[in-house]
Amino acid sequence: MSEAPRAPGAPQGRRRRSPEESSCYAALDLGTNNCRLLVATPSPRGFRVVEAYSRIVRLGEGLSQSGRLSEAAMDRSLAALKVCAEKIRRRKAIRVKAVATQACRGAANGPDFVRRVHEETGLKLQIISPREEAQLSVAGCMSLFDREQDAALVVDVGGGSTELSWVDLKGGGLDARPRQFAAWKLPIKAWLSIPVGVVTLAERFPEGETANETWFRAMVDDVKARIEGFPHAEPMRRIFAEGRAHLVGTSGAITSLAGLHLGLPRYDRNVVDGLWMRRDDCDAAAERLLSLTSAERAQEPCIGADRADLVLAGAAILQAVQELWPCSRVRVADRGLREGLLMSLMSDQQKRPRRRRRGGASKKPVSA
């Protein structure tokens, strides 16, 4: 649905753009670990990115122990949000959607922080549900689906939670024209949100002086225990068993894993986004990470100091999913929730019809 982002100011050819296509839309995602912004203009095939911004803020640092957002974490996040607000004002975005996810959902002072953000930046953060987060992540990854297969499992590994969405690739809603797109119409047959992401898992299992297989295995098993037994995706089990499905992995940890696999001298989104990795490739990258110290991981150009203590937690989450839902291939996505937000903002299908609530709490297995 979306075009690959081009550099700001990249030539668009001779076709004259309509006033609507010149209008900017902004999507902001404040997660447990990152603050990310995309500003884009509509195009016939989706949208064209004119500005992107990302900063690691670790809003959820220590949240799993205290139940509250710390002052230092909120200050870091506010600094990044002020940068985002200025970029949005400078681009004169006509519509803005700013969302917060697991850290603000789970923190006792999350609503207070949202109010503070509005007072200090003018941004109106909306704390979205795990269900909406899963839908938007699937929407942002739609162009990466292998439509010759029958199903895909989208694994969105965040800082504080992980969303899994089982998608019927032969179902309706994947081919809607941009103006008719609606995330709630996507053929998501089941979804699950677990309150474990790279930050919370790393805090739950401190690395110590050196990483080892026993420590890594404990993380994998912890994640598996939270996923296995989820009943609502079982009708799709046969499709996966017969090799008619693939994974899509979206997260900074997974893109870092891909960069390590490729041996890139520096991170390159154009190479990583859409990359296919075999199961053996993922295992080999995880094994290489385990052989490195934290300091050595920090020196890897596609990991860096900010992710050195988190990337193995991301690899553990991916491995847990691969063991429970085996697939020979995983497609790496350097895209997700923000792209889904932009698609929703630019669509005419803004409202979902009211209907009776189905499902339960996000921390329990929930089906779509």
Side-chain angles (χ1 to χ4, degrees):
M1 294 289 291
S2 63
E3 299 179 28
R6 305 174 186 172
Q12 297 297 300
R14 296 181 179 276
R15 187 182 66 84
R16 179 173 295 179
R17 289 183 292 164
S18 68
E20 181 185 61
E21 289 178 289
S22 301
S23 300
C24 284
Y25 295 73
L28 188 154
D29 168 23
L30 178 64
T32 301
N33 197 45
N34 292 278
C35 177
R36 297 185 178 102
L37 171 72
L38 278 184
V39 183
T41 57
S43 74
R45 292 187 297 161
F47 57 81
R48 171 184 175 270
V49 173
V50 297
E51 184 150 3
Y53 171 82
S54 178
R55 182 179 295 178
I56 293 178
V57 295
R58 298 208 179 198
L59 177 61
E61 188 174 55
L63 174 62
S64 59
Q65 285 85 34
S66 68
R68 297 180 63 83
L69 304 174
S70 71
E71 288 298 325
M74 290 189 288
D75 288 344
R76 288 194 300 268
S77 301
L78 272 166
L81 289 167
K82 288 175 181 177
V83 174
C84 292
E86 176 55 33
K87 291 179 180 294
I88 291 169
R89 282 192 288 268
R90 181 164 52 82
R91 291 287 182 177
K92 299 179 180 178
I94 63 170
R95 295 199 68 198
V96 179
K97 185 68 176 287
V99 303
T101 55
Q102 182 63 26
C104 288
R105 279 198 298 261
N109 58 340
D112 292 334
F113 176 64
V114 168
R115 285 190 289 271
R116 181 181 169 192
V117 168
H118 187 219
E119 291 170 359
E120 296 190 24
T121 71
L123 293 169
K124 295 181 179 179
L125 279 177
Q126 177 188 351
I127 302 175
I128 61 173
S129 68
R131 183 187 185 112
E132 186 174 0
E133 185 176 356
Q135 290 173 336
L136 291 169
S137 295
V138 170
C141 294
M142 280 171 44
S143 62
L144 299 182
F145 292 150
D146 179 357
R147 300 296 295 278
E148 293 185 1
Q149 298 218 282
D150 292 340
L153 171 51
V154 178
V155 185
D156 180 9
V157 183
S161 68
T162 296
E163 279 68 47
L164 294 90
S165 303
W166 287 261
V167 184
D168 177 7
L169 298 183
K170 303 304 181 185
L174 293 176
D175 297 313
R177 297 170 65 181
R179 293 299 297 269
Q180 280 72 50
F181 169 78
W184 49 269
K185 291 182 178 179
L186 293 171
I188 300 173
K189 294 304 180 182
W191 68 274
L192 171 68
S193 179
I194 60 172
V196 174
V198 293
V199 174
T200 49
L201 191 61
E203 290 180 347
R204 187 181 183 89
F205 293 90
E207 181 176 338
E209 293 185 6
T210 58
N212 58 64
E213 179 62 35
T214 301
W215 164 78
F216 183 76
R217 188 68 233 175
M219 290 196 293
V220 173
D221 289 342
D222 182 85
V223 176
K224 285 180 68 175
R226 298 168 185 271
I227 299 172
E228 61 188 352
F230 175 64
H232 301 289
E234 286 303 316
M236 303 189 78
R237 178 71 66 180
R238 182 177 177 181
I239 296 174
F240 283 75
E242 294 176 352
R244 295 184 284 125
H246 69 87
L247 298 183
V248 176
T250 170
S251 82
I254 295 176
T255 56
S256 295
L257 203 69
L260 183 74
H261 160 68
L262 293 171
L264 297 178
R266 64 178 182 275
Y267 185 79
D268 185 346
R269 181 191 187 278
N270 292 326
V271 175
V272 171
D273 184 51
L275 174 73
W276 286 103
M277 292 179 67
R278 301 188 309 271
R279 172 71 186 276
D280 290 346
D281 297 330
C282 298
D283 291 344
E287 289 174 8
R288 182 179 171 193
L289 286 173
L290 277 170
S291 72
L292 302 175
T293 66
S294 180
E296 289 170 335
R297 292 197 297 272
Q299 294 301 312
E300 288 289 333
C302 293
I303 297 175
D306 287 334
R307 295 192 190 277
D309 61 335
L310 303 177
V311 66
L312 272 165
I317 293 171
L318 178 61
Q319 182 164 320
V321 175
Q322 288 177 314
E323 290 182 6
L324 290 172
W325 289 86
C327 289
S328 61
R329 299 185 303 159
V330 56
R331 196 157 204 194
V332 180
D334 188 344
R335 61 180 69 204
L337 193 151
R338 291 177 304 167
E339 286 80 3
L341 282 171
L342 282 173
M343 292 163 63
S344 295
L345 280 174
M346 296 175 185
S347 172
D348 291 331
Q349 309 293 310
Q350 297 297 328
K351 299 290 186 180
R352 177 173 184 167
R354 294 178 63 88
R355 68 176 186 176
R356 296 179 63 183
R357 181 181 176 87
R358 296 173 60 195
S362 64
K363 292 184 181 180
K364 300 177 182 178
V366 183
S367 65

